Amino acid sequence: MVTAETIADLRVQLRAWRGAGDRIVFVPTMGNLHAGHLKLVQAAREHGQRIVVSIFVNPMQFDRADDFANYPRTRQDDLHKLEDASVDLVFLPTEAEIYPRPMEQMTFVEVPGLGSELEGAERPGHFRGVTTVVLRLFHLVEPDVAVFGKKDYQQLMIIRRMVDDLGMSVGIVGIETEREASDLALSSRNSYLTDAQHKQAAGLYATLVHCRDWIIDHPGEIETAEVEAVKSLELAGFRPDYISVRRQNDLKKPGVNDTELVILAAAWLGKARLIDNIELSLNPNS
Ligand code: PAF
């Protein structure tokens, strides 16, 4: 496994592989890797010959300085996991390599509309940070395909929109969320939970499942389902930021004829802010 800390080293290696006709598949991460990331790496194998993973805790996408400062950084452990997963190259840029000027002076990219609601409304500037760094990483790596997890559903949609709006040729692949036996979605932020909260945290997905089943039985009563889901999260000890039912294709609020939906949730449990989602179809033939 090759490691590159500079853009120059990254480009030399990628040029050689591309010259040999290899397709490059890219998995951007912020490190602190868990089985969910390794599932993305495994899926990447199906799309090309060379797998490139980046590890960069991107300051531009954090809306709280303490969240950025406390984000778990586990570089040696991450490198062992990626080596075991037969990754070809790990890009480990410094902050200066990604942001050669102060961040507020850097050119940015922002997806309007989609980027300013749900997570965007709760975490101002978050998606601008995500799209700006992902676009920069795409320009550096020039992947044929890039792989993202569906746990960050809105992020995945925003990246797809950015790629489409800017006419980029990279293919975007979304991978199902990896879960613990309790169905808690794997996340680096789960490490902020105490043992008791960890058990409690499974209640987030259980609420989503219950909400989905209720909407399937009462398709005209989505707003009631949202209100009840918030209440049930509160009863389970969470501080919900939102539970919202949206259309899968553009995350707008569904109309009466929309059938392909997703329920998105964000809630605090102690010091951890957890997000999760579940898709549902009201189409009787699906
Ligand atoms: O999902 C993440 O880990 C990050 O938002 C990403 C895509 C690596 C950009 O920093």
Side-chain angles (χ1 to χ4, degrees):
M1 184 172 81
V2 179
T3 54
E5 297 196 2
T6 65
I7 294 170
D9 287 350
L10 172 76
R11 286 197 160 134
V12 167
Q13 184 57 73
L14 289 177
R15 203 170 298 133
W17 287 335
R18 234 178 260 113
D22 292 345
R23 275 168 67 83
I24 311 286
V25 191
F26 180 41
V27 185
T29 81
M30 297 206 300
N32 194 233
L33 305 179
H34 50 63
H37 295 106
L38 300 177
K39 193 173 163 186
L40 304 185
V41 168
Q42 204 185 335
R45 281 257 161 268
E46 291 166 28
H47 298 276
Q49 291 71 42
R50 297 290 180 179
I51 302 183
V52 175
V53 174
S54 63
I55 298 180
F56 179 64
V57 184
N58 173 31
M60 200 191 272
Q61 73 186 74
F62 284 80
D63 54 317
R64 289 183 297 118
D66 63 317
D67 193 20
F68 175 64
N70 296 330
Y71 198 84
R73 290 157 171 89
T74 50
R75 182 169 167 152
Q76 282 317 314
D77 196 37
D78 291 346
L79 289 175
H80 287 134
K81 286 180 181 162
L82 295 175
E83 180 117 53
D84 288 350
S86 305
V87 162
D88 296 282
L89 187 149
V90 187
F91 182 42
L92 299 151
T94 59
E95 222 172 288
E97 200 73 355
I98 295 295
Y99 298 118
R101 273 169 294 290
M103 262 189 322
E104 57 286 355
Q105 291 171 26
M106 290 288 298
T107 303
F108 61 83
V109 59
E110 202 161 48
V111 173
L114 248 185
S116 54
E117 44 188 306
L118 300 168
E119 282 304 283
E122 296 293 331
R123 305 178 63 193
H126 169 64
F127 284 124
R128 175 195 288 192
V130 170
T131 43
T132 299
V133 82
V134 169
L135 184 65
R136 182 147 168 80
L137 290 167
F138 280 1
H139 281 308
L140 301 178
V141 176
E142 295 182 71
D144 295 281
V145 170
V147 183
F148 293 86
K150 280 173 81 172
K151 185 175 86 69
D152 295 298
Y153 201 92
Q154 190 179 3
Q155 167 174 285
L156 173 62
M157 302 251 355
I158 286 173
I159 289 166
R160 283 193 202 283
R161 178 76 65 81
M162 173 182 79
V163 163
D164 193 39
D165 285 356
L166 300 181
M168 303 179 77
S169 60
V170 53
I172 304 296
V173 173
I175 300 297
E176 291 304 326
T177 302
E178 186 74 2
R179 299 183 181 280
E180 296 185 358
S182 70
D183 274 341
L184 172 65
L186 296 193
S187 163
S188 301
R189 289 191 171 84
N190 292 353
S191 63
Y192 304 159
L193 298 166
T194 62
D195 288 348
Q197 287 166 345
H198 202 116
K199 292 198 185 86
Q200 223 179 327
L204 181 57
Y205 189 66
T207 303
L208 287 171
V209 169
H210 185 264
C211 186
R212 174 198 63 191
D213 294 347
W214 202 84
I215 291 171
I216 290 171
D217 289 343
H218 308 82
E221 297 179 47
I222 284 178
E223 278 177 23
T224 311
E226 289 169 336
V227 171
E228 291 304 318
V230 165
K231 278 192 211 157
S232 94
L233 273 185
E234 284 169 349
L235 278 175
F238 291 84
R239 280 182 295 124
D241 275 347
Y242 60 82
I243 289 211
S244 192
V245 182
R246 300 293 173 113
R247 307 200 298 210
Q248 281 176 25
N249 61 346
D250 58 7
L251 296 189
K252 288 207 163 68
K253 287 191 191 281
V256 281
N257 295 322
D258 291 314
T259 57
E260 306 312 304
L261 309 179
V262 55
I263 314 172
L264 303 120
W268 289 87
L269 194 56
K271 283 192 273 181
R273 185 174 182 278
L274 306 175
I275 63 169
D276 206 347
N277 63 78
I278 193 167
E279 291 179 320
L280 74 145
S281 175
L282 296 177
N283 184 342
N285 303 319
S286 68

